[in-house]
Amino acid sequence: MDFVLPHLLFLLILLPIISIAQNNGNVTIGNSLTATDNSIPWLSPSGDFAFGFHPLDQADLFLLSIWFDKIPDKTIVWYAKLDNPAPRGSKVELTADDGLVLTGPQGDELWRPDSIIGTVANGVMSNTGNFVLQDSNFSKLWESFNNPTDTLLPSQNMDIGGMLSSRQSETHFPKGRFQLRLIGDGNLVLNTINLPTNNPSEAYYTSGTSDSVTSNPGKQLVFNQSGDIYILRDNNQKLSLRQVKLESAAEFYLRATLNFDGVFTLYSYPKNSNANGSWTPIWSVPDNICVENVVLTGSGTCGYNSICTLGSDQRPICTCPKGYSLLDPNDQYGSCKPDFIQGCEEDKLSTGKDLYSFQVLTNTYWPNSDYAFLKPYTEDQCSKSCMEDCMCAVAVFRDGDSCFKKKLPLSNGRVDNSITGGKAYMKIRNNTSITLPNRCLPIPETKKKNHDNLILLWSVLFAGSLFVNIILIVAICVGAFFIYHKKLNRPTRNFNAMEVNLRCFTYQELVEATDGFKEELGKGAFGVVYKGTIEMGSTVPVAVKKLNSSFQDYEREFKTEVNVIGQTHHKNLVRQRGFCDEGLHRLLVYEFLSNGTLASFLFGDLKPSWNQRIQIAVGIARGLLYLHEECNTQIIHCDIKPQNILLDDNYNARISDFGLAKLLIMNQSKTHTNIRGTKGYVAPEWFRNMPITPKVDVYSYGVMLLEIICCRKSVEMETIEEEKAILTDWAYDCYREEALDALVEYNVEELDDKGKLERYVMVAIWCIQEDPSLRPTMRRVTQMLEGVVEVLVPPCPFLFSRTG
Ligand SMILES: *[C@@H]1O[C@H](CO)[C@@H](O)[C@H](O)[C@H]1NC(C)=O
Ligand SMILES: *[C@@H]1O[C@H](CO)[C@@H](O)[C@H](O)[C@H]1NC(C)=O
Ligand SMILES: *[C@@H]1O[C@H](CO)[C@@H](O)[C@H](O)[C@H]1NC(C)=O
Ligand SMILES: *[C@@H]1O[C@H](CO)[C@@H](O)[C@H](O)[C@H]1NC(C)=O
Ligand SMILES: *[C@@H]1O[C@H](CO)[C@@H](O)[C@H](O)[C@H]1NC(C)=O
Ligand SMILES: *[C@@H]1O[C@H](CO)[C@@H](O)[C@H](O)[C@H]1NC(C)=O
């Protein structure tokens, strides 16, 4: 028995290979494939093509596809169009009624071919690369050739209405931005679409066979066995597209692919190359996609603000201009964002005049994006006018007297060598940060004296001796080191979900819990939150957060982080009840809090009482202190703002969304270019080349504390006088001029408690110091709020940026 069993198993595994290889590509009803690493595909009789699950770069995901099986990299020529790839364990089965049915590991249907009329008798993986479903009379009910993706193979033709659609990138198969279509008037066109809709932009290539220009319009795009590509006209004349002659087409594999970057290319690959060959481009359209693709709506060939240069193989190269970087670091062909903030508001708030410098580019052009055309104008006038105009992103001077001013986002950027003498002046912000003029006047005498006295006191206490002071400083440092060290050595246990009492939900359970994600509670930076109920002994209301797709790449980190979040227990943090981690579905389940967000509480119609607000401010500080210092792993929130603070039945503040920012900054920690957080609450170090520490939360807390004190938003441009628009500045002005009553709009409740009011404002000013090292820790903040330690006179918070 021991002996026979392995052999039997071996035979069972081998059986399908043998049967399919001998069956001329014939796949019978009931046959199925499962997405695993060693699943054996359905092969064509020659073995050139295979139909099955192709493993993707992302772990545990597979693409149902057809590929060249004898080529080492298994080039894909057709794939099932799915929103998400199939997870490991998915299954495709040939059935009589529906042809092919692709189901996920849980049996949920992921895909099936549309429009099958009749009963399927069998499937055939043919030697041309066409997968056909046929009935008992051998008539074709469905074929992959009539449902192309981004590639045509020899003998695969395209009729009017037919379309190729590019993928997102070489290795990502969701729908991309480019299309090749034979449209109703007989024209073959290439165009971009405005994702996520299919709304096409202007074509950047046309074959010129539309019925409006010829009495003989096109009716079919033909790609024949000799590798010729032509348009068959109504009168059966041919308009040849491919001029190059290919010797002995039979010795090459051929494919014509609409590349993810919009170039339609015919490739050849020598069949007998002993694993040494490569796909060689032998023809492509358009000739210069950078110059020929100009759209009014949409970004053009590259993303917004990106500049297109033509590579040697007629393929575009997209690069971000200096001072700009990729919005998605993994998408080289995507949009670029400025690494600085540009806007009239920001410019107005800045000191000095040398805010920007120019990068001068020659032969670079943006045909659209103009908002002003100045003529006649000199080159000097042109650059100067852009420099002084807060709307202007780039000025192009050309033809000796023409000045085009352009605004963001720039589209259709390209290097165009046919433009001679043109110059583009691109504005890049200097390394100065935004500061306010005249903010930092000397502190009034009375306060200064107070400050001096304190310093004096310190000096007296420490005996005024330099030596003693040095000893003291050393002692403090050594002490601090030991405390820090102790913290590092604190045992960190590796919890798993069970130990921390988190429930692991299936996606289906959460679909039911939220009634199909029916009631939306809010949208955050990380995803959408829905209301639901779960059974935990009794029916418990919960908030279910569906994390957005940017979390998909962080599989291991997600698990770690969920455990970290799960271990946090504090009365000022929102409790996590469970999570779901199923394929692409990442969800977090939190307790539901009835009283909404601090934002709606503070900025609503009714002004909440001073005592309630104080209680909330202290609660948030304690919650942050816990995250920074008291839980097993230090958690930096990165997005502290009133929208992320929830209120429970007793109006206790509860911090939400903690622990998630880390997942998103992990990969970016070296560059610091991706700013997490929300404008107005973001600490200045995000904009500078400085490490991100818990002090970013202290900064945001300071801004929010002022909002709690004043019951207004940190930035209010429309409704308030100019000098009050930026709360941090206004608060400091009021403090400096001892006009706190103006800050709280002469409210009796606050003014009756003037000592506490002043203390809270001072704490807030300490927190919003632009120099992170001056900001107190959250421990210090709680002590100051509670009146346990004295609050010193804060320095001007804006000083740092004037020199930096
Ligand atoms: C496919 O295989 C099935 C079962 O082996 C057989 O009945 C059928 O005739 C075959 N069809 C073709 C076209 O070879
Ligand atoms: C096959 O062809 C015969 C004769 O033309 C016809 O009677 C029959 O209905 C056809 N079967 C299918 C499945 O189309
Ligand atoms: C392909 O088309 C070209 C141009 O019309 C023609 O010369 C050639 O014979 C065709 N080849 C095949 C295999 O039909
Ligand atoms: C691969 O190509 C190189 C150069 O064309 C050749 O020298 C080498 O023998 C080839 N290797 C194989 C395995 O064909
Ligand atoms: C900004 O940069 C330009 C060019 O590098 C320089 O001339 C100017 O002085 C800079 N301004 C500041 C404030 O650094
Ligand atoms: C700005 O500062 C950073 C780091 O201090 C430096 O790498 C960069 O080159 C500076 N940029 C400009 C335009 O001076």
Side-chain angles (χ1 to χ4, degrees):
M1 195 62 203
D2 278 313
F3 177 73
V4 179
L5 198 61
H7 285 255
L8 253 174
L9 275 175
F10 180 65
L11 267 180
L12 279 175
I13 292 167
L14 217 62
L15 216 57
I17 319 175
I18 297 165
S19 62
I20 285 172
Q22 291 176 347
N23 260 0
N24 284 337
N26 180 2
V27 183
T28 47
I29 298 296
N31 267 5
S32 68
L33 296 171
T34 306
T36 57
D37 290 330
N38 41 17
S39 101
I40 295 150
W42 295 330
L43 290 174
S44 69
S46 64
D48 285 334
F49 290 96
F51 179 101
F53 288 103
H54 194 289
L56 295 178
D57 288 350
Q58 302 113 298
D60 294 330
L61 294 178
F62 294 80
L63 191 67
L64 183 63
S65 53
I66 299 172
W67 62 84
F68 282 103
D69 200 52
K70 288 183 178 169
I71 291 177
D73 75 352
K74 314 272 179 203
T75 314
I76 290 174
V77 296
W78 177 91
Y79 47 91
K81 290 183 190 168
L82 289 153
D83 292 338
N84 295 312
R88 178 181 298 279
S90 299
K91 184 176 149 192
V92 64
E93 186 177 357
L94 193 71
T95 70
D97 293 337
D98 303 313
L100 292 165
V101 181
L102 173 62
T103 48
Q106 262 79 37
D108 43 322
E109 182 177 315
L110 301 177
W111 178 86
R112 68 168 73 195
D114 30 54
S115 69
I116 293 204
I117 299 160
T119 304
V120 176
N122 66 312
V124 178
M125 182 67 251
S126 77
N127 279 336
T128 54
N130 193 10
F131 188 81
V132 182
L133 299 172
Q134 56 191 20
D135 66 10
S136 52
N137 287 345
F138 304 109
S139 45
K140 295 172 176 175
L141 303 181
W142 183 89
E143 48 186 322
S144 62
F145 270 18
N146 281 348
N147 295 272
T149 51
D150 59 359
T151 297
L152 294 177
L153 292 170
S155 80
Q156 181 176 8
N157 302 333
M158 199 165 87
D159 295 324
I160 285 194
M163 178 179 91
L164 298 187
S165 175
S166 72
R167 49 182 98 154
Q168 236 166 45
S169 77
E170 205 62 59
T171 52
H172 284 85
F173 293 82
K175 184 164 72 179
R177 291 196 296 125
F178 300 91
Q179 291 182 333
L180 173 80
R181 297 182 297 154
L182 187 62
I183 56 178
D185 64 6
N187 226 352
L188 183 73
V189 300
L190 282 165
N191 60 264
T192 54
I193 53 172
N194 290 275
L195 286 173
T197 66
N198 280 328
N199 188 29
S201 300
E202 302 85 334
Y204 57 93
Y205 165 84
T206 65
S207 59
T209 47
S210 97
D211 56 13
S212 60
V213 298
T214 166
S215 54
N216 224 339
K219 62 175 180 183
Q220 196 181 41
L221 174 68
V222 178
F223 181 14
N224 79 10
Q225 299 278 9
S226 337
D228 278 271
I229 300 180
Y230 57 83
I231 290 171
L232 193 65
R233 294 172 180 269
D234 258 358
N235 64 356
N236 290 333
Q237 275 180 355
K238 299 169 180 175
L239 171 74
S240 178
L241 299 181
R242 192 180 79 76
Q243 314 284 2
V244 198
K245 209 81 230 114
L246 189 69
E247 305 295 330
S248 53
E251 287 168 22
F252 292 93
Y253 292 117
L254 298 171
R255 67 179 168 104
T257 299
L258 175 60
N259 289 298
F260 70 91
D261 52 20
V263 179
F264 183 54
T265 308
L266 173 63
Y267 292 95
S268 72
Y269 190 107
K271 280 186 182 172
N272 300 314
S273 61
N274 299 328
N276 207 3
S278 66
W279 285 106
T280 311
I282 50 182
W283 168 84
S284 67
V285 282
D287 289 335
N288 183 343
I289 191 171
C290 294
V291 173
E292 283 161 54
N293 188 5
V294 179
V295 297
L296 288 173
T297 52
S299 63
T301 303
C302 300
Y304 291 104
N305 300 329
S306 185
I307 297 174
C308 181
T309 319
L310 197 66
S312 54
D313 52 357
Q314 315 299 107
R315 304 271 299 267
I317 299 164
C318 299
T319 35
C320 294
K322 193 179 155 205
Y324 287 67
S325 56
L326 288 172
L327 198 54
D328 173 0
N330 299 318
D331 183 9
Q332 205 200 319
Y333 295 79
S335 297
C336 306
K337 61 175 175 54
D339 293 332
F340 48 86
I341 293 181
Q342 182 178 350
C344 296
E345 210 47 58
E346 286 80 5
D347 287 5
K348 197 170 68 191
L349 297 178
S350 304
T351 44
K353 277 192 192 135
D354 297 324
L355 284 178
Y356 296 91
S357 46
F358 277 128
Q359 186 197 4
V360 183
L361 302 166
T362 48
N363 303 334
T364 303
Y365 199 58
W366 298 264
N368 299 332
S369 320
D370 296 337
Y371 70 92
F373 176 28
L374 307 168
K375 184 181 175 170
Y377 231 44
T378 67
E379 191 169 335
D380 267 0
Q381 284 174 316
C382 185
S383 60
K384 189 154 177 278
S385 143
C386 182
M387 184 58 86
E388 287 167 359
D389 182 349
C390 61
M391 314 250 181
C392 185
V394 57
V396 172
F397 182 77
R398 54 189 292 193
D399 307 330
D401 66 347
S402 303
C403 177
F404 301 85
K405 290 207 283 185
K406 294 166 190 290
K407 61 183 186 323
L408 295 178
L410 299 162
S411 64
N412 303 288
R414 79 280 301 285
V415 171
D416 184 351
N417 292 320
S418 66
I419 301 173
T420 46
K423 259 191 199 171
Y425 288 87
M426 195 150 199
K427 264 163 91 174
I428 303 169
R429 203 180 179 92
N430 277 2
N431 270 350
T432 49
S433 53
I434 300 159
T435 52
L436 291 176
N438 306 324
R439 277 295 159 195
C440 296
L441 299 178
I443 290 172
E445 272 317 299
T446 50
K447 289 200 175 153
K448 202 162 194 175
K449 223 177 268 162
N450 199 347
H451 196 28
D452 288 345
N453 283 348
L454 268 164
I455 290 169
L456 202 71
L457 187 70
W458 275 85
S459 309
V460 169
L461 259 179
F462 296 143
S465 147
L466 184 66
F467 181 68
V468 171
N469 280 344
I470 286 173
I471 299 245
L472 257 167
I473 288 166
V474 168
I476 288 167
C477 290
V478 169
F481 174 76
F482 274 117
I483 290 166
Y484 184 60
H485 213 66
K486 213 167 130 200
K487 247 179 226 165
L488 284 182
N489 288 341
R490 197 159 42 183
T492 47
R493 281 176 292 161
N494 266 332
F495 284 81
N496 66 35
M498 288 299 112
E499 286 175 86
V500 296
N501 220 359
L502 283 185
R503 185 159 144 200
C504 178
F505 292 90
T506 64
Y507 185 62
Q508 193 51 38
E509 279 178 84
L510 293 183
V511 170
E512 277 156 27
T514 55
D515 201 357
F517 301 107
K518 205 160 141 205
E519 190 180 342
E520 201 180 292
L521 289 173
K523 268 198 188 72
F526 307 108
V528 184
V529 187
Y530 300 91
K531 188 167 181 191
T533 52
I534 55 170
E535 284 304 321
M536 279 188 154
S538 57
T539 307
V540 182
V542 288
V544 177
K545 168 160 280 196
K546 225 177 163 179
L547 297 178
N548 55 28
S549 54
S550 29
F551 284 91
Q552 282 171 16
D553 296 334
Y554 300 101
E555 196 184 22
R556 185 166 303 129
E557 291 87 328
F558 178 80
K559 294 198 173 88
T560 319
E561 206 57 19
V562 163
N563 279 330
V564 169
I565 298 169
Q567 290 167 47
T568 56
H569 275 283
H570 190 273
K571 69 177 168 45
N572 295 112
L573 301 181
V574 173
R575 270 276 288 286
Q576 196 183 357
R577 297 231 175 246
F579 65 98
C580 162
D581 184 16
E582 204 175 82
L584 298 176
H585 301 300
R586 302 250 155 91
L587 299 96
L588 299 174
V589 181
Y590 295 104
E591 63 180 333
F592 174 77
L593 296 175
S594 52
N595 276 324
T597 68
L598 176 60
S600 54
F601 182 68
L602 280 184
F603 313 137
D605 295 333
L606 288 174
K607 190 168 180 171
S609 84
W610 172 238
N611 278 332
Q612 236 172 358
R613 275 144 55 207
I614 284 182
Q615 191 201 333
I616 286 170
V618 173
I620 300 166
R622 288 190 185 135
L624 271 177
L625 165 63
Y626 174 84
L627 288 179
H628 288 178
E629 292 187 35
E630 290 172 0
C631 54
N632 277 294
T633 312
Q634 183 181 61
I635 296 176
I636 307 180
H637 189 294
C638 293
D639 200 9
I640 285 291
K641 58 178 176 179
Q643 287 76 7
N644 282 338
I645 309 293
L646 301 177
L647 300 173
D648 66 15
D649 297 354
N650 302 319
Y651 290 95
N652 288 316
R654 306 280 215 96
I655 302 172
S656 74
D657 262 358
F658 50 90
L660 298 181
K662 186 173 159 215
L663 287 177
L664 296 184
I665 57 173
M666 206 138 25
N667 273 5
Q668 300 143 12
S669 52
K670 277 183 223 96
T671 56
H672 301 295
T673 46
N674 272 34
I675 295 173
R676 307 290 338 157
T678 306
K679 209 172 160 231
Y681 302 91
V682 171
E685 53 263 45
W686 286 106
F687 301 101
R688 306 195 179 110
N689 209 8
M690 289 171 79
I692 298 310
T693 67
K695 293 291 181 73
V696 300
D697 288 344
V698 177
Y699 184 93
S700 309
Y701 177 81
V703 177
M704 191 167 68
L705 180 56
L706 289 174
E707 291 181 309
I708 293 172
I709 294 168
C710 304
C711 284
R712 54 153 283 197
K713 293 182 185 155
S714 67
V715 181
E716 280 204 16
M717 289 305 170
E718 279 85 36
T719 51
I720 299 189
E721 303 95 287
E722 205 188 330
E723 77 268 25
K724 299 186 186 175
I726 310 285
L727 179 57
T728 49
D729 304 340
W730 171 235
Y732 185 67
D733 286 350
C734 290
Y735 170 71
R736 200 189 55 222
E737 286 150 28
E738 294 182 271
L740 288 186
D741 40 6
L743 185 63
V744 293
E745 297 184 308
Y746 307 97
N747 255 310
V748 183
E749 218 185 348
E750 286 91 311
L751 293 179
D752 277 348
D753 198 0
K754 200 150 184 189
K756 198 178 266 173
L757 172 65
E758 187 174 15
R759 190 165 78 234
Y760 273 47
V761 172
M762 283 161 82
V763 171
I765 294 172
W766 274 111
C767 291
I768 59 169
Q769 292 294 319
E770 289 203 10
D771 180 352
S773 66
L774 290 181
R775 286 174 222 152
T777 61
M778 282 317 296
R779 180 173 298 282
R780 189 88 190 163
V781 169
T782 50
Q783 290 169 341
M784 291 194 288
L785 292 180
E786 286 162 355
V788 183
V789 298
E790 191 177 358
V791 189
L792 300 183
V793 170
C796 170
F798 312 108
L799 257 176
F800 181 72
S801 56
R802 299 191 79 198
T803 51

